[in-house]
Each structure stands twice: as C-alpha cells, then as structure tokens.
Amino acid sequence: MRLIIEKRLESSRLIAFLVPIASILLALLAGAGLLAAAGVNPWQTYRAMALGAFGSKYSLSETLVKAIPLMLSGLGVSIAFRMLFWNIGAEGQLAMGGFAAAGVALFLADKIPDPLLLPAMFVAAFLAGALWGLIPAGLKAALGVNEIITSLMLNYVAILWIEHLFYGPWKDPQGYGFPGSAQFPKAAWLPRLTGRVHAGLIIAIVAAAFLWLVLGRSKWGYEIKVIGENPRAARYAGMSLARNILLVMLLSGGLAGLAGFGEVAGISHRLQKGLTVGYGYTAIIVAWLARLNPWGVLLVAFLLAGLLVGGDQIQITMGLPAAMALVLQGAILFFVLGGALFAQYRLRLVRRPPGLSTSAEVTE
Amino acid sequence: MIDTSSDPAVAMRGITKRFPGVLANDHIDFEVQAGEIHALLGENGAGKSTLMNILTGLYRADEGEIALHGRRVDIRSPRDAIALGIGMVHQHFMVVEPLTVAENIILGLNKPRFALNMKRAEEEIAALSQRYGLRVDPHAYIWQLSVGEQQRVEILKMLYRGADILILDEPTAVLTPQEAGELGRTLRHMAAEGKAVIFITHKLDEVAEFSDRVTVLRRGRVVATLPTAETTRSDLARLMVGREVLFRLEKEAVEPGETVLDVQGLRALGDKGLPALQGVSFQVRAGEILGIAGVAGNGQRELAEVLTGLRKASAGRVLVGGRDITNRSPRVVIDEGVAHVPGDRLGMGLVPDLAVSDNLILKSYRQPPFCGGFFLHRDSINEHADNLIAAYDIATPSPATPVKLLSGGNLQKCILAREITTGRGLLVAVHPTRGLDVGATEAVRRTLLEQRAAGMAILLISEDLDELLAISDRLAVIYEGRIMGVVDAASADLEEIGLMMAGTEVSTSNPKP
Ligand SMILES: Nc1ncnc2c1ncn2[C@@H]1O[C@H](COP(=O)(O)OP(=O)(O)OP(=O)(O)O)[C@@H](O)[C@H]1O
Ligand SMILES: [Mg+2]
C-alpha cells in the first residue's frame, strides 16, 4: 500500500472553495498543537489574535495601515505575473518609490507650491519604482536575461541605497543618531482618513479598479491575457512581447513605488529604517492567493495584514515571545499555500490490484 | 481469430459523461475482444476521445461500468489503467524531449526505481522493437526523431509496460502513408498475439484496411457496431454524419489573376540551426491554390513561418502584392493581408483558455469595430462571434466557452473563420484538415475553394496527397528545403510526384505560370 499524489482530472468549483477553508482550519489546528506544546491556551491565543487584528477600531485601522502597502505592491506583482513575468522585485521598487518621494519632499519642497508637493511626490515615486522595474524588463526583452534573478538582486541594491542615505548623507542632524532623514514639511504629509490610515487606501482602491478595467475591458488587457496564456499565439497574432513586458513592468514597478510613497508620506513622514520590512515579498503571496484578481488582492492583503498585526498583538497581550507569533504566521501561510496545491492535486492510497502484474514486475 | 465466446477484453456498459453544456457520452456500450483491431469512428466531437479517456482513467464516467476480461474494475487514475494493462497513445502525445528513447520508455515505471538497469532495459526495448517491427534506436534522443518515430516510442512504451489493451487515438493523422501502412502491420501483429487494439481514425480507408470490427459514434451515442468486412466507405460516412457525404468536390474553373505571392530564392534555418529552406522560389496567383507536397519535415513548417514573419529568412525575398515583406514582423505581415492557418492549432493558432469569441478577434482586436482606441467593444465582439459561429457552423455550447473545450474540427473552423475574415489576398494554410472528420474536411475544403473563387491566393501545405490533388491547381513538391518540381494538379502523375517526394528532381511538366 502506498500513498501517491496525482493531478486532479477535473478541478471542481466546490474543491476550489473548500480547499482554502480546510487549509485555514488545518493551520489553526496545527498552530493549536504548537501553542499547547508551548504551554499556552490555544483558544485564548487565537481570540487575542483575532481581537488584536480586527476587534476594535484601533486594531482595524492598524490592520488597514499594514494592508495598504501590501495592496499596492500586490497589485503590481499580480499584473506582472499575469504575463508570466516573474517580478519578485517589488521590495526594491517600493524602496525606490520611497526614496524618490522623500527626495522631492526634502529637497524640492520650497521650489514647489504646497498643493503640488504631494502630486509631485506621487509622480516621482511612481516613476522611480517603474524605472527600477524596467531594468529587469529591459534586460529580459532585449537579451532574454532571467527576470527572477535580476529583479531579486535589484532589491538588495535598492535597500542598501536607501540605507546609505538615511545613515549617511540624508541623516537628520537633529535626529540624536536615529537612522532616518529629517521630517518632511507638513505639506508633504498624506491626509489621514482615520487613525493612522492614510489616503494610500484610496489610491489602492482606485488602482484595483483601474487594473480590473484594463484587464477586462481594454485592448491592452486582452494582449496581456493572450501573452500570459499562450505567448506563441501572441506572436502569431502580431503582438509585441518586448513592448508589453516593458509596459507591464512600468505599471507593476510604478504601483510598488506608490506603496513606498504611501509609507513615507502617510506613516513615517521621513525616509527611515523600517521602510523595507518585506511588504514586497509578502506581496508575492498576496498576488498568488488572490489568483491575480485585483479585487482579490485587496481582500487577501487585508487578511494577511490582519495576520501580521494579530501576531504582533499576541506578543503584548499574551506575553508570547516574538518567535512564537512568527511561527504561527508561518504555519498558517504554509497550510494555505500548501492547500492551493490540493486544489489541483489529490492524495490517494493505492493497493496493487491483486493478480495483475505488469511486465515491469515480470522482468525484474 | 476473434474469439467472441469468452469474456471480451474490454466491456464498457452504459457509459455516460456530461461536460458543462455537452453530453459527450450517452449510455455507450462498447466491447472489444482480445485479438481484434476495433476501429472507433465518429465525427469531431462525437465523444471518441472522451470514451477512451474514461477507459484510461483520465476522466471518470458519470454513469456506467467497465469490465476487463470479465472482471468489474474501477479505474480511478491513469496509474490504475496502466496497472490493469491498458495503454494509450494520445491524440496529442507527450514524450519527454531531452531524454533518450530508452530513458523515456522506462520513465514513470514504478518498480525499477533504485537499481535502474539501463543496459538490460535497452536490450528488452531492442527485442520488443525487433519483434513488432517498430524501428527505433534506443540510444537516440527524442528530439532527433521524426513524429512517426516518436509515435513508435509511445507504442513501445505501452508494450514495455505490458499492456494487452492498446488504444491509439488518431495515430495516423501525423504519419506519412508509408508509415501508416507500417503501423497497420504492427497493429495486426499485436492483435495476432491476442492483444485487444482500439484504433481511432477519421480515414475510412484505414478502417477498411486495418480493422476487424468498427463502432460508429454520433453525438455521444453508439449508432452501430459492425464487422468491417460488411461495410463500405459510404455506409460508414453516412452512419457517422447522418447524411450522404460527397467525396468529390466540385471545383469550378477560375481564371488566375495577378501574382499575389512571389517567393524568390528563400533560405532559412530550422529550429536546430540547420538549413531548412535552401533556395525556394515559386509564385501564387489570385484565384489559385498552390499545393506544397512533401514528406513531413522537409521545410514545410519553416516555409509557412518565414512567409508569415514568424521566422527570419537568411536570404531571398518574399513579395506579397508586389510589396517586400521579407523579415518584417508578424504584425506587418498581418496588416499586408496575409492570413495563416497554422499546423499547430492549440499551440499557436488559438489561446486555449480564452473564450471562443475572444479567439475569433485574435487578429483584428486592434481595429474598429472591436476596439475604439483603448477599450474593447464587447457588443461588437459578441456579435462578430455569433455571426461567425453561424456562418461557419461552429459547434460550441456558447461564445463564452473556453476554446480548448471544442473538438478538433471545431477548433479548426474557428481558425478558418477568423483567418478568412481578416485575410485579404493571401492565405497560407498548413494541414488544414488534419484530424478532421469527413464532414468537417468537406466543409474546410469547400471553404478553401470558395475563397479561391473569390480571388484569394492560397498556399496549401499538406502531407495528404489526395487532398492536394483534389483542390489545388498546381502542386510543388518540396524535399530537403528545395522545390523538386511544379506540376499541374489536373494532369499530375502520381509516380512522378512520389519520385520527387523521395528527392529525385524531375523536369517539370508545367514550370511557372
Ligand atoms: N474537458 C472537457 N470539458 C468540457 N467539454 C469537453 C471536454 N472534453 C471534451 N468535451 C466536449 O465533449 C465532446 C466530445 O469530445 P471528444 O474530444 O470526446 O470528441 P472526439 O470524438 O474525440 O473528437 P475529435 O475527432 O475532434 O478528436 C465535444 O463536444 C467536446 O467539446
Ligand atoms: Mg479526439
């Protein structure tokens, strides 16, 4: 008797619906085992986590704050993935967006009229992220260089570049050695909606609507779909792959750049340590779980942000070590992502049918 | 030879399979005896592949039961089917390219996982290929093989796994007539050893030649199971289609017009970097069909690709309507009015996961009325789809159905409908009727003739000599990337064509127009 894994022949809607739910339940169960082993009450911990993420106005707003960069960079990643361009450089594009927005706020504030300062930062952040995304795109389009490697490597370049800035030339002289630039002038602060939730949320929702419209209704969206599904047919139909890779990465990198803009202009009001905390990588998971659907990205980003915030909260409320929260987050992601596999594959226990043999056995 | 007294090797009873919008198999009863070759016949979309996919565990039947050699079995996956001795060569078969023949054959076997004795495996494979006359070199790499040889590898794979029920889904669609004949003899040999062979085809001659019995499906139902000896070609065609089928097409005389396509000394490299076209020249005029005959792999595919901008020419010129389109992009070639029915339908001609309606605008989505600058106009697209589905009689549950769910014949109708409506002047058609049933073949050929009458210049690339002779005006024979001669189709001498296909240059009876 053996356990085998095989491809599901007919993927059903029911399974597509049940699998994520089952994975979350399993994740919670496995997490409960871990918590129990560590000597804490699983039920109380989960309750604390849920309350910490969604239970009050304050916690909801904190969850939204974390969701905004995930939404924007997740949207960026998802549109690149649709065309089978594996952009895993959202983290670096986000960093460059933050850098450009900060640059405008710090050095051009007195040259730009106040009402135009935020729009200028917006545009600068979008362009910086886009340019950073265009490097791997251009290399792929012109020379066929693997974008996974280049986009990943550029993350380190971008992260180290902004670190250099806020530890070095841009460091606030009045900052008591704190790694960060001077604070932006007030005109460069994104308005807040409630709590720390800033207008970046509106940008994210508008961006999702825009992507949804482009993908479903436009000529360009049609090309993206065709290229993503069958690049040979796209070439046959006279579509330019190179042009589309560049255009899509312009948008993808630009959206991640806007996530950086939201962080510096909406939250920290300076370029500082803590801008690159992995949103760009989590965005990959967001895009994947949302099946690259723009509205799905918003929802998944919100839920994953809840997981992050809830995990932080239990450190405080339950007195759990930070590592425990990370383990729980990891377990949940592990099951949910693993579960996605079972939407396409199934496990089966097989017994050899008795009395039947294949020649492979006979020839042994 | 056929022993009908004992339990049949395969007995499928009351098999029903529904897909969204289609009843693919409707209470099918199907029996195959050990020792017989049983032909399975039916129009495109009749449900042949579905029935066989149920037998090989790729799909599960909604209703019905299966017994093998008199024993009820529950086939839940392809692995179960292999363990039960069922082997299938699929319509679009898959072999792993960068492996050798021997590696490919033992791949996926469960047993010799640790101690893989390559040497012994190779000897066994050599013995099997000797025994069944399936010539292949076990050490050769798959990518070095022709399609016919790759198919032999697939058959060897089944035999090596000890299959005694063998299913071949349209095996001859990709073979030359000689190869098809050899395959027939191999199948005979296997049947004579007591294996049960199921053979799907659209070619009625092959049914008569190879099979002992034939089962005809129509719209998911069995219409008849008969001993082949008691049937005629037209009986079978009538059973399949439900009406009389004309085997001869009326080809009206058309006075050819101006030269539309002028190819001069064309050279190009193939995928492996070797010369595939070595100085090809010919012309096609408006209202004329020029057939390109030849054994597969002599540069036909590369020729079509160079003409449509998908492959670079290393020398020579291509003129369409007097304008030089050599090495221009596919986009420019499309805009010059060149239509292309590619040989690889789902791989190149269509986007499998997109809706039928979306596939029908693949070449015209940039233009009004489908697109107004940035946005697509859904209404026009749907209306266009409805029109083409009606005009070309495309069988689809709806215009929104993903095109990959259509049967082979309907896939081809989609491509033809699209290419004919977007092309102006020149149509390059590669194997346009490969794998199509008699009715669909007739429809496609008639469409090509209509376009000819409407003044289109058509380059028809095919390996089916009957087809080439039936509808082309002139025939150019290609061998190793060279045109060996051009002959008039009406007065063509088959022997002469055969010689040219084998590489003998013959003084052409009708050189250039
Ligand atoms: N996976 C699927 N989902 C939905 N419909 C399907 C699927 N597979 C087949 N069909 C439909 O079932 C019907 C039977 O298809 P099938 O492939 O069995 O035909 P066939 O007889 O093999 O035709 P052909 O000669 O073109 O290969 C068709 O209408 C087809 O569109
Ligand atoms: Mg079929």
Side-chain angles (χ1 to χ4, degrees):
Chain A
M1 215 151 60
R2 293 177 306 131
L3 200 59
I4 56 168
I5 181 163
E6 56 190 25
K7 204 163 166 93
R8 272 182 207 281
L9 308 170
E10 297 151 88
S11 55
S12 75
R13 266 168 193 278
L14 187 68
I15 284 171
F17 178 74
L18 282 180
V19 162
I21 292 181
S23 348
I24 289 176
L25 287 179
L26 272 177
L28 294 179
L29 216 64
L34 284 173
L35 290 168
V40 279
N41 181 326
W43 168 245
Q44 274 175 17
T45 313
Y46 284 141
R47 215 177 102 87
M49 234 173 130
L51 286 177
F54 309 113
S56 66
K57 208 171 153 215
Y58 169 75
S59 54
L60 260 177
S61 83
E62 277 311 290
T63 296
L64 274 174
V65 164
K66 280 208 159 41
I68 294 169
L70 287 179
M71 289 172 177
L72 282 165
S73 45
L75 288 170
V77 168
S78 71
I79 181 163
F81 280 13
R82 271 199 185 236
M83 242 185 50
L84 311 183
F85 189 92
W86 308 114
N87 171 26
I88 52 175
E91 186 80 356
Q93 291 145 19
L94 181 151
M96 293 313 275
F99 150 71
V104 170
L106 292 171
F107 302 109
L108 301 176
D110 38 358
K111 300 192 183 72
I112 297 173
D114 279 359
L116 290 183
L117 188 56
L118 273 171
M121 290 163 71
F122 178 99
V123 171
F126 186 94
L127 288 179
L131 279 177
W132 212 242
L134 281 176
I135 299 173
L139 286 170
K140 166 108 174 192
L143 304 168
V145 179
N146 183 320
E147 73 274 19
I148 300 182
I149 314 275
T150 48
S151 63
L152 177 67
M153 288 306 167
L154 283 173
N155 285 345
Y156 301 114
V157 178
I159 292 168
L160 291 171
W161 166 243
I162 60 165
E163 276 191 13
H164 163 72
L165 289 178
F166 60 66
Y167 276 112
W170 287 14
K171 189 162 160 184
D172 184 5
Q174 276 105 52
Y176 307 103
F178 177 77
S181 71
Q183 201 176 47
F184 301 162
K186 279 272 185 344
W189 293 16
L190 259 183
R192 293 204 164 152
L193 308 175
T194 159
R196 295 205 302 153
V197 180
H198 54 84
L201 183 62
I202 296 169
I203 300 177
I205 294 172
V206 171
F210 173 72
L211 285 191
W212 175 74
L213 212 66
V214 164
L215 289 171
R217 299 282 146 94
S218 77
K219 180 171 81 172
W220 186 32
Y222 179 79
E223 293 194 352
I224 292 174
K225 259 192 288 186
V226 171
I227 295 174
E229 301 284 354
N230 186 352
R232 285 184 66 209
R235 215 166 90 74
Y236 160 80
M239 297 174 186
S240 163
L241 268 59
R243 181 173 153 268
N244 275 294
I245 288 178
L246 293 175
L247 278 176
V248 159
M249 277 309 292
L250 190 112
L251 187 55
S252 174
L255 284 168
L258 289 184
F261 163 68
E263 289 302 279
V264 297
I267 304 289
S268 59
H269 303 145
R270 57 177 94 222
L271 188 69
Q272 65 174 18
K273 198 170 171 55
L275 173 60
T276 53
V277 288
Y279 290 130
Y281 297 111
T282 310
I284 298 171
I285 301 174
V286 170
W288 207 245
L289 288 178
R291 296 178 182 227
L292 314 184
N293 175 305
W295 299 120
V297 166
L298 296 193
L299 179 71
V300 173
F302 178 69
L303 293 176
L304 274 188
L307 186 60
L308 298 178
V309 172
D312 289 346
Q313 284 299 307
I314 54 173
Q315 292 172 38
I316 305 160
T317 51
M318 302 290 295
L320 281 172
M324 197 65 209
L326 286 176
V327 165
L328 264 188
Q329 289 167 0
I332 293 178
L333 281 181
F334 174 82
F335 276 93
V336 173
L337 288 172
L341 179 79
F342 289 98
Q344 278 182 49
Y345 294 87
R346 63 179 177 184
L347 273 181
R348 256 183 72 201
L349 211 52
V350 287
R351 259 174 288 234
R352 287 228 151 232
L356 289 160
S357 63
T358 64
S359 84
E361 284 168 316
V362 176
T363 52
E364 281 284 293
Chain B
M1 182 170 50
I2 306 163
D3 179 8
T4 35
S5 60
S6 66
D7 286 318
V10 178
M12 303 178 82
R13 291 201 192 86
I15 300 288
T16 297
K17 177 78 192 171
R18 281 179 205 89
F19 289 117
V22 210
L23 187 52
N25 285 172
D26 183 3
H27 296 93
I28 287 190
D29 293 320
F30 180 62
E31 279 190 4
V32 186
Q33 300 294 335
E36 80 165 326
I37 301 182
H38 197 119
L40 191 54
L41 201 61
E43 284 183 285
N44 293 119
K48 306 177 296 290
S49 296
T50 303
L51 186 68
M52 291 302 108
N53 285 338
I54 289 171
L55 185 55
T56 50
L58 268 173
Y59 294 149
R60 266 171 91 69
D62 299 332
E63 286 168 42
E65 53 180 61
I66 303 176
L68 302 179
H69 308 289
R71 255 191 34 208
R72 272 289 307 266
V73 288
D74 183 20
I75 303 172
R76 293 177 53 190
S77 76
R79 281 171 202 261
D80 291 353
I82 292 170
L84 290 165
I86 301 172
M88 177 154 171
V89 177
H90 286 274
Q91 205 164 348
H92 314 276
F93 52 85
M94 308 152 224
V95 275
V96 185
E97 295 235 326
L99 295 181
T100 68
V101 168
E103 284 165 350
N104 208 292
I105 289 175
I106 47 183
L107 193 83
L109 277 184
N110 286 324
K111 273 296 180 143
R113 205 172 319 170
F114 302 110
L116 204 105
N117 189 341
M118 260 332 257
K119 195 138 187 303
R120 222 173 91 193
E122 279 172 11
E123 279 164 19
E124 282 168 38
I125 292 166
L128 274 176
S129 68
Q130 180 81 32
R131 189 159 129 211
Y132 293 99
L134 292 160
R135 289 172 293 106
V136 278
D137 172 9
H139 309 287
Y141 283 92
I142 298 291
W143 56 263
Q144 298 173 317
L145 305 182
S146 71
V147 193
E149 287 171 315
Q150 291 187 13
Q151 187 180 68
R152 278 179 237 148
V153 174
E154 283 290 285
I155 298 173
L156 279 173
K157 201 174 185 174
M158 297 195 297
L159 292 170
Y160 186 77
R161 290 172 178 183
D164 63 354
I165 297 163
L166 300 133
I167 305 165
L168 297 103
D169 196 349
E170 293 188 39
T172 56
V174 294
L175 300 184
T176 61
Q178 289 90 331
E179 285 176 320
E182 277 170 35
L183 176 68
R185 282 188 288 282
T186 304
L187 297 186
R188 275 263 153 262
H189 192 138
M190 297 194 296
E193 287 190 345
K195 297 186 190 295
V197 180
I198 303 170
F199 177 67
I200 301 181
T201 185
H202 289 295
K203 299 184 185 158
L204 300 176
D205 297 334
E206 290 173 358
V207 174
E209 215 171 307
F210 303 148
S211 71
D212 301 304
R213 285 198 300 163
V214 51
T215 292
V216 182
L217 298 187
R218 184 162 80 226
R219 305 211 173 144
R221 291 196 198 176
V222 175
V223 280
T225 296
L226 301 162
T228 311
E230 292 169 19
T231 62
T232 65
R233 240 164 65 112
S234 46
D235 289 344
L236 291 176
R238 191 166 357 89
L239 282 171
M240 265 169 73
V241 189
R243 63 177 167 87
E244 290 296 336
V245 177
L246 304 168
F247 286 100
R248 281 226 66 84
L249 279 168
E250 279 312 311
K251 189 166 116 189
E252 57 180 300
V254 174
E255 189 55 43
E258 312 241 296
T259 298
V260 174
L261 174 65
D262 189 359
V263 178
Q264 303 170 351
L266 205 58
R267 289 174 185 275
L269 298 179
D271 287 342
K272 290 169 199 158
L274 301 172
L277 297 177
Q278 319 201 42
V280 170
S281 304
F282 59 81
Q283 283 92 32
V284 191
R285 292 191 281 168
E288 180 186 51
I289 300 183
L290 175 71
I292 302 277
V295 177
N298 276 291
Q300 293 97 319
R301 185 164 63 87
E302 290 83 356
L303 175 61
E305 288 177 359
V306 173
L307 295 184
T308 51
L310 294 166
R311 183 181 292 272
K312 289 267 170 276
S314 52
R317 296 209 302 160
V318 180
L319 303 174
V320 171
R323 290 151 77 117
D324 194 335
I325 58 153
T326 324
N327 288 344
R328 303 302 303 274
S329 71
R331 173 74 191 276
V332 172
V333 177
I334 293 168
D335 290 343
E336 285 296 329
V338 179
H340 178 199
V341 175
D344 186 357
R345 280 165 217 164
L346 282 174
M348 179 183 280
L350 295 165
V351 187
D353 285 302
L354 288 197
V356 171
S357 57
D358 281 349
N359 271 286
L360 288 172
I361 55 158
L362 192 58
K363 289 273 184 80
S364 49
Y365 69 94
R366 312 178 179 87
Q367 297 150 7
F370 309 125
C371 179
F374 188 73
F375 286 107
L376 292 176
H377 296 154
R378 275 280 142 212
D379 292 343
S380 319
I381 293 170
N382 292 337
E383 195 189 310
H384 178 69
D386 288 338
N387 290 342
L388 290 188
I389 287 170
Y392 289 85
D393 192 22
I394 301 169
T396 173
S398 89
T401 305
V403 79
K404 67 174 176 195
L405 299 182
L406 303 196
S407 77
N410 287 300
L411 294 177
Q412 191 67 328
K413 285 184 191 168
C414 287
I415 297 181
L416 263 177
R418 182 187 69 214
E419 293 305 307
I420 286 171
T421 44
T422 46
R424 304 175 314 276
L426 177 66
L427 171 66
V428 178
V430 185
H431 310 308
T433 63
R434 176 187 273 177
L436 300 198
D437 66 54
V438 281
T441 299
E442 190 195 69
V444 168
R445 289 183 185 163
R446 188 172 314 119
T447 309
L448 291 177
L449 286 175
E450 278 164 17
Q451 290 305 309
R452 164 180 173 267
M456 184 93 95
I458 299 176
L459 183 72
L460 172 64
I461 298 180
S462 172
E463 279 143 33
D464 183 343
L465 259 188
D466 295 334
E467 166 162 290
L468 288 167
L469 291 171
I471 63 172
S472 36
D473 297 294
R474 292 182 304 136
L475 212 62
V477 181
I478 193 168
Y479 176 77
E480 291 193 342
R482 290 192 187 86
I483 300 287
M484 305 308 286
V486 183
V487 299
D488 207 86
S491 58
D493 173 0
L494 270 181
E495 197 154 326
E496 192 184 51
I497 294 175
L499 278 174
M500 291 195 283
M501 283 172 69
T504 317
E505 201 136 1
V506 172
S507 62
T508 55
S509 53
N510 173 10
K512 274 172 192 171

